[in-house]
Amino acid sequence: MPEPERPQVPEGAEQPEPPAYDPLQPGKGEAIAPTGQGGPMDLALDEAESLEQSASAASGGRALGDAPTGPGSQEKPRSLWSDAWHQLRRNPVFVIASLVILFLVVISIWPQLIASGDPLQCDLSKSQQGAAPGHPFGYDTQGCDVYTRTVYGARASITVGICATVGAALLGSALGGLAGFFGGWGDSLLSRVADIFFGIPVVLGGLVFLSVVTSTTVWPVVGFIVLLGWPQLARIARGSVITAKQNDYVQAARALGASNGRMLLRHVAPNAVAPVIVVATIALGTYIALEATLSFLGVGLRPPTVSWGIDISNAASQIRNAPHMLLWPAGALSITVLAFIMLGDAVRDALDPKLR
């Protein structure tokens, strides 16, 4: 294409200065955003290139308008559990409750870390005496160190609470999950059996069931709590499974030919277990209080087992003469139950999206 001719200037006339942007000579003085009139408002090409290079260096070597490509440029979506853990770490209630529970678990496994005495070593000459050097909680009616017995009493309560909760959760989740997933006559039978257990008063059932047991270990109490505790968790698991199996991803897996076992274990159970965990965590504190109640009535744990319920029962008649015998084990029991209830509330708030 022939180059267009420039306008002729008469000979001897003053030559005009070339504009900052010459449309007849592309590439010379070309501007990024020309105004069409030249002058200082148009950025020259070399200035634009220098600005782009400096902006690219400031953005880590990327050109303007380019999408970030680094490993941390795109945040991965968090799952329900990772999102719940992210929220729990920033919840002061969860942190405090977890520290208290961790301390209780440690002293229940190694009580000698903070108590060097023997909880069964007693001296009648010190019966009902108050605090003394080396014995900050005083002595009980038999002359036993209240501090040592309070520390060692955590082992029985924590053991009963954790074992009973795990047993009730496993049994209730298995029965309730299968009944909710398959339905039919098995679902109806489980519901009617659960209603029968719901109609049994817990304390009255414990008095009848444990009064014929002569063992002094924690396992009869654990078995009784599991026997009366699984219907609640079974009903929670059943409702959660019924809700989860109606989701689209389960129907898609069924349409693709997945077996019932695969759908239950890979798709339904992981999305239905959160309510069971919440209820089980709160129930753990309730089970510890139930063990103390049964021990207080004389049908739960029995001597020589060291238990907060036993110590509270022995100190109830002497509350006016020696209140320290009752206050310390009762305070330890209250703090333990409160810590597990607070932990359950925090877990519920983190796992339930409707509460956010």
Side-chain angles (χ1 to χ4, degrees), residues 34 42 80 86 119 126 131 143 177 180 192 214 273:
D42 292 334
L80 172 65
H86 180 77
K126 300 179 181 179
R192 301 294 78 78
T214 58
V273 72

Side-chain angles (χ1 to χ4, degrees), residues 38-52:
M41 295 299 295
D42 292 334
L43 293 176
L45 180 61
D46 53 352
E47 295 181 7
E49 290 179 353
S50 62
L51 289 176
E52 184 175 0

Side-chain angles (χ1 to χ4, degrees), residues 127-142:
S127 176
Q128 300 184 9
Q129 290 186 7
H135 306 277
F137 294 175
Y139 299 87
D140 61 4
T141 304
Q142 301 297 325

Side-chain angles (χ1 to χ4, degrees), residues 316-328:
S317 59
Q318 304 295 330
I319 187 173
R320 293 186 178 181
N321 300 328
H324 64 276
M325 295 171 47
L326 176 65
L327 294 179
W328 293 112

